[in-house]
Amino acid sequence: MAAVDSKSTWDRFAFRNRDFVRGKIDSGQNRGKSFTVPEFIAERYKPTSYFASGGCGLLLKGKDIKTDAEVLIKSTLEYGEADYAKWRDEDGFVVQLKKTRQQLQTERRVMVWLKNRGCNSVPNPIDYVFDLNPRLAEPYSTSEGTDTWTFSDEVMLSSEPFLIMEFVHGRMLTDIIGNGIDERRSVGILREVCHVFEVLHKPMSLASRTFQLAYQDLKPDNVMVGAHDAVRLIDFGGCRVSVNGTISAHGAFTPGYCPPECDSTSEIKPSADAFSVGAMLYHMITGQNPGDLLKNSLASAVRKSVRFDDWDWNRLQQRASRQTVEMIKQCVAERPTERPADGQQLSQMLSKMEGASCI
Amino acid sequence: MYLKTGDTVPGDFNDTESSESNEASSAVSVYRVTEVVAETPWCGLYRGKKVFQNFIFKTRQYEETEEHDCLDVLLKTVAYPQLHDISNVVYSRNHAKFELSSVLACPDTDQIPEPIDLVLIRNTRDGFEFQHTEEFVDREPVLVFENICGDPLGTWVNSGRHNVRAAMRIAGELFTLTSHLHANGMLLNLLHPGSIWIDGSNRSHFVGTENVVSVKKSDTIQSLFPPNRYPQLFAAPELLTGTATPTVSTDMLAIASIVWFLLTKRSPFGGGHGSGAETLLKRRPDPNQVQSLRTALASLSAQARRDIEGWLEVSGTKFEKKWPDGFVNGLLACLDPDANQRPVGVDDLRRIWRTAPPFPVREVIGIQEASGKLKICFSASLGAQFLHDPRKPAPRVTWQTPIVRECSSTKKTDTLQTHLRMGKKSGVAIRIF
């Protein structure tokens, strides 16, 4: 998600004797789209400004009126429900809502899971509340042209979920990298990211089901850096989740940072994140966004992952020690089996490098 | 107010403070106590679970999340050492709300746990119910905040994870935190090794937020923080004797003593000084400990020293050249029993680190000016006291100053002379008895 801390103009309106606000996104990939939220979500969380949006998620900055703390409020920007409304398909409409709302629930579960296992480098999932979504009750155009249709499932209208998270302070890593940062500092930052991966990559057995996760969307936009380079990994909505070997959430990934297998619809191994760690380390040290390397490729229109030969190894060698270059080469190997297997291996490699005097 | 393992704390927003209920969220938060972390006469700290609600599409109803889907949290209660004193009860509760909305919610820092909830429950302790009205009994605040996975500082320093480099990074974080709180009009007030927890990445988290007070003088401070609440080994003498209220200066002593503990695994005042007022006003770190600290810091690699410059926010200065004396002298200045001699904030301390010159020998205890001659005073015994204020400019003396030999013991003088022979220069040694 690209964050824009802008304060757009929000319109207030009343719906069922309660106050709501309607805002419009004025930048980024969702420019022009509007969202509707209660003025006080669950009577407690007051949205104050637009923060960011991605595929179908919306992030608002807000305030918890009970604790006075700043919070981030995550909700759904759109459900893709218009097609179902067009055909007055209320059941299809509900299925679509279920699919998207469960993704937010999964994101909360992943964050809870990580926090409970000692990952202080992820935002705290403070609350998970439900409230009305008046936008869903607005009249939809139907296939009959001028005729309109209204979704009237009261339970669904009033059960819009909102994930309330700690507002993470610091700077986005994207804003720090610039023309490249010190190799030693880069390794230190990524070591903390990989500490989260160590936990995330361990299969989770719950109620006779085994969950396997890959973060999948590691990129500088998803890493916040605070004082003393304290790291927070954000946006767990992009995780690929498989349950007993079957994908239950495909998540998201970013061209340039993702390995070749992300483009498939099958299960991916934690070694997919090793590729992103290598790509990130390359970006941090050289200042060159791996996405730019795709533009050099002949098949750039379809390729999402940088081929091994397309990385600018000379540029990297000028700025990094031999040990770091070797690690990046290992991480961005095109075959998953040639990469570090998981977060634990990555952590060990980075800790060793951090302790070495050569960097 | 103490909680027991297994207690349930309902966190419904429609509590006694909520104005009205309406169509908003049917979800109700519940907290389950799972473990007692610490109980003191002033507060209780517990680990618990925040139970979320899930919407079940099949039944179209809300259900509480299962155990594995609940978030680990910390819960803090207020205890009342003066149960009969209604004003103390009011102050304590107001202070709990200050802790939640001003300290835990303090923006722009990762080192303070995030607030999650404030719940008001019924205080069912017999004594409380007996002594207070229904209105009081029903409004017992319980603070819910982010669980920190880590070890208290006291445990961490004795673990295999402790090393001087990691300790210096934590020290840097603690000075940043102190500076941040001061900038936001708050004082740490009371620190001890249990106030700080260190996580798996060797990052520090400040959990002793119940002791933070506003820098604005308040009549309630002495009621909430009587002298016996302060830890002997980590508090300024004026707080222990009850002759002053917390200030930036008392904070500097507290944070420096914690950093000392972090580096040496011992309190700077751990030498059995006693607790009488006169003794407290004279206590200083044991010179042997000072020397061991210098030795440990001096052994750090050049790379580590450069890292430390960044962590202490003194990059681009002569700090590294003055390592480790400049750093240690800054700490010693903070630990001065005379509040007027301590740095007046973290920025002032950084100024000492940037500018303090290394001492020619470690036993310098002061400068004396007599008959137009400058004399540097050195201790000639291990028990001697430091009197020199390292914040002041370099000793106003050159090594060409005429030697005045006033030492009574030739043997000790010889030892001092060995120290003083730096290059071809000599100094002045005076033994003070």
Side-chain angles (χ1 to χ4, degrees), chain A residues 107 220 259 268 270 304 312:
Chain A
E107 185 169 355
I268 59 171
K304 303 277 194 316
D312 190 343

Side-chain angles (χ1 to χ4, degrees), chain A residues 130-152:
Chain A
F130 303 88
D131 210 328
L132 268 170
N133 183 354
R135 193 177 63 79
L136 293 177
E138 287 174 2
Y140 292 89
S141 305
T142 65
S143 57
E144 287 97 351
T146 53
D147 201 6
T148 59
W149 175 78
T150 307
F151 179 63
S152 56

Side-chain angles (χ1 to χ4, degrees), chain B residues 156-158 162-164 167 234 256-270 285-286 288-294 296-297 327-328 331:
Chain B
W156 184 81
V157 295
N158 292 310
H162 178 272
N163 62 67
V164 178
F234 300 96
S257 54
I258 286 291
V259 168
W260 194 277
F261 176 80
L262 183 61
L263 294 165
T264 65
K265 306 184 184 185
R266 294 166 67 187
S267 155
F269 309 121
D286 176 357
N288 284 332
Q289 234 195 91
V290 177
Q291 188 52 38
S292 322
L293 176 59
R294 284 202 166 108
L297 294 173
F327 175 75
V328 176
L331 285 189

Side-chain angles (χ1 to χ4, degrees), chain B residues 7-215:
Chain B
D7 278 356
T8 299
V9 183
D12 183 0
F13 189 58
N14 297 319
D15 54 34
T16 48
E17 279 210 330
S18 179
S19 53
E20 58 189 61
S21 67
N22 59 24
E23 218 175 332
S25 182
S26 49
V28 175
S29 299
V30 173
Y31 303 94
R32 289 195 194 113
V33 181
T34 55
E35 184 189 344
V36 177
V37 178
E39 283 175 343
T40 71
W42 295 278
C43 70
L45 184 64
Y46 308 88
R47 207 166 255 121
K49 295 265 183 197
K50 179 186 171 85
V51 182
F52 293 101
Q53 300 272 320
N54 279 338
F55 180 77
I56 310 299
F57 282 83
K58 201 172 178 181
T59 58
R60 299 167 76 83
Q61 285 181 335
Y62 296 98
E63 265 183 19
E64 286 189 356
T65 48
E66 290 175 44
E67 186 77 5
H68 57 77
D69 259 350
C70 297
L71 177 70
D72 289 348
V73 293
L74 289 172
L75 299 107
K76 199 181 273 180
T77 60
V78 180
Y80 306 100
Q82 301 169 55
L83 197 57
H84 60 282
D85 182 354
I86 203 154
S87 59
N88 185 268
V89 173
V90 174
Y91 294 160
S92 301
R93 289 183 173 181
N94 287 342
H95 189 71
K97 287 174 187 168
F98 165 81
E99 180 187 352
L100 183 87
S101 58
S102 297
V103 189
L104 293 171
C106 185
D108 299 324
T109 175
D110 296 325
Q111 288 171 266
I112 300 177
E114 285 295 308
I116 291 176
D117 213 345
L118 169 69
V119 292
L120 299 176
I121 62 167
R122 189 177 176 85
N123 189 338
T124 51
R125 197 162 68 154
D126 288 347
F128 201 91
E129 287 194 316
F130 181 71
Q131 294 196 32
H132 298 292
T133 61
E134 185 71 13
E135 191 194 351
F136 262 85
V137 172
D138 238 3
R139 290 175 161 268
E140 187 61 58
V142 179
L143 273 54
V144 187
F145 56 97
E146 178 184 7
N147 178 48
I148 300 298
C149 293
D151 294 320
L153 195 58
T155 309
W156 184 81
V157 295
N158 292 310
S159 72
R161 293 191 290 137
H162 178 272
N163 62 67
V164 178
R165 187 179 179 277
M168 281 305 301
R169 187 172 83 166
I170 293 168
E173 290 176 355
L174 295 179
F175 283 116
T176 303
L177 171 75
T178 308
S179 174
H180 186 72
L181 284 177
H182 289 176
N184 282 280
M186 289 180 274
L187 297 168
L188 290 161
N189 180 29
L190 186 160
L191 273 181
H192 55 85
S195 313
I196 293 147
W197 290 3
I198 310 298
D199 70 17
S201 299
N202 287 342
R203 295 268 182 197
S204 61
H205 301 267
F206 177 53
V207 294
T209 46
E210 72 275 8
N211 300 317
V212 173
V213 294
S214 168
V215 78

Side-chain angles (χ1 to χ4, degrees), chain B residues 86 164 178 248 326 362 365 373 430:
Chain B
I86 203 154
V164 178
T178 308
V248 168
R362 69 182 170 97
I365 56 175
K373 292 175 183 173
I430 303 170

Side-chain angles (χ1 to χ4, degrees), chain A residues 111-185:
Chain A
M111 290 169 77
V112 166
W113 191 58
L114 291 169
K115 286 297 286 184
N116 288 355
R117 280 154 186 82
C119 289
N120 292 321
S121 300
V122 301
N124 201 38
I126 293 170
D127 213 345
Y128 190 71
V129 294
F130 303 88
D131 210 328
L132 268 170
N133 183 354
R135 193 177 63 79
L136 293 177
E138 287 174 2
Y140 292 89
S141 305
T142 65
S143 57
E144 287 97 351
T146 53
D147 201 6
T148 59
W149 175 78
T150 307
F151 179 63
S152 56
D153 187 327
E154 284 301 319
V155 179
M156 288 297 138
L157 287 176
S158 59
S159 56
E160 181 69 49
F162 295 88
L163 173 59
I164 314 295
M165 296 177 282
E166 159 192 8
F167 183 79
V168 178
H169 301 282
R171 295 167 70 195
M172 216 173 251
L173 184 56
T174 315
D175 300 333
I176 294 174
I177 292 177
N179 293 323
I181 56 176
D182 176 59
E183 180 185 4
R184 189 177 175 80
R185 188 180 179 199

Side-chain angles (χ1 to χ4, degrees), chain B residues 166-425:
Chain B
M168 281 305 301
R169 187 172 83 166
I170 293 168
E173 290 176 355
L174 295 179
F175 283 116
T176 303
L177 171 75
T178 308
S179 174
H180 186 72
L181 284 177
H182 289 176
N184 282 280
M186 289 180 274
L187 297 168
L188 290 161
N189 180 29
L190 186 160
L191 273 181
H192 55 85
S195 313
I196 293 147
W197 290 3
I198 310 298
D199 70 17
S201 299
N202 287 342
R203 295 268 182 197
S204 61
H205 301 267
F206 177 53
V207 294
T209 46
E210 72 275 8
N211 300 317
V212 173
V213 294
S214 168
V215 78
K216 291 173 193 159
K217 294 291 176 216
S218 159
D219 297 338
T220 63
I221 284 185
Q222 278 177 325
S223 167
L224 292 173
F225 295 94
N228 65 350
R229 192 167 172 180
Y230 291 95
Q232 286 273 332
L233 298 178
F234 300 96
E238 61 268 34
L239 294 176
L240 294 170
T241 54
T243 51
T245 50
T247 59
V248 168
S249 169
T250 60
D251 266 12
M252 294 311 290
L253 185 139
I255 192 71
S257 54
I258 286 291
V259 168
W260 194 277
F261 176 80
L262 183 61
L263 294 165
T264 65
K265 306 184 184 185
R266 294 166 67 187
S267 155
F269 309 121
H273 290 272
S275 57
E278 208 170 305
T279 316
L280 288 171
L281 291 168
K282 283 182 182 169
R283 64 181 190 173
R284 291 167 193 273
D286 176 357
N288 284 332
Q289 234 195 91
V290 177
Q291 188 52 38
S292 322
L293 176 59
R294 284 202 166 108
T295 308
L297 294 173
S299 67
L300 288 172
S301 67
Q303 178 59 55
R305 292 178 196 187
R306 280 192 292 277
D307 290 341
I308 290 166
E309 264 191 6
W311 297 331
L312 297 180
E313 299 177 41
V314 289
S315 298
T317 66
K318 292 178 180 173
F319 176 79
E320 201 197 331
K321 286 183 185 167
K322 290 161 186 166
W323 180 264
D325 290 337
F327 175 75
V328 176
N329 295 341
L331 285 189
L332 291 172
C334 293
L335 296 170
D336 199 304
D338 180 355
N340 295 322
Q341 300 301 317
R342 292 178 211 140
V344 289
V346 176
D347 282 345
D348 197 25
L349 175 60
R350 289 187 182 125
R351 191 179 57 74
I352 295 173
W353 286 337
R354 290 186 192 111
T355 58
F359 289 140
V361 289
R362 69 182 170 97
E363 295 91 348
V364 169
I365 56 175
I367 305 164
Q368 197 180 62
E369 191 168 358
S371 309
K373 292 175 183 173
L374 289 171
K375 302 172 186 175
I376 308 171
C377 307
F378 300 95
S379 86
S381 66
L382 286 175
Q385 301 289 305
F386 280 78
L387 294 176
H388 177 70
D389 176 6
R391 291 179 306 151
K392 290 177 180 166
R396 293 172 293 115
V397 64
T398 64
W399 290 104
Q400 282 75 40
T401 305
I403 291 173
V404 182
R405 193 177 293 269
E406 293 183 15
C407 292
S408 59
S409 158
T410 309
K411 194 176 176 188
K412 282 178 181 169
T413 307
D414 288 342
T415 311
L416 286 167
Q417 288 298 325
T418 310
H419 281 297
L420 293 169
R421 290 187 196 288
M422 301 172 73
K424 292 183 179 177
K425 296 165 185 172

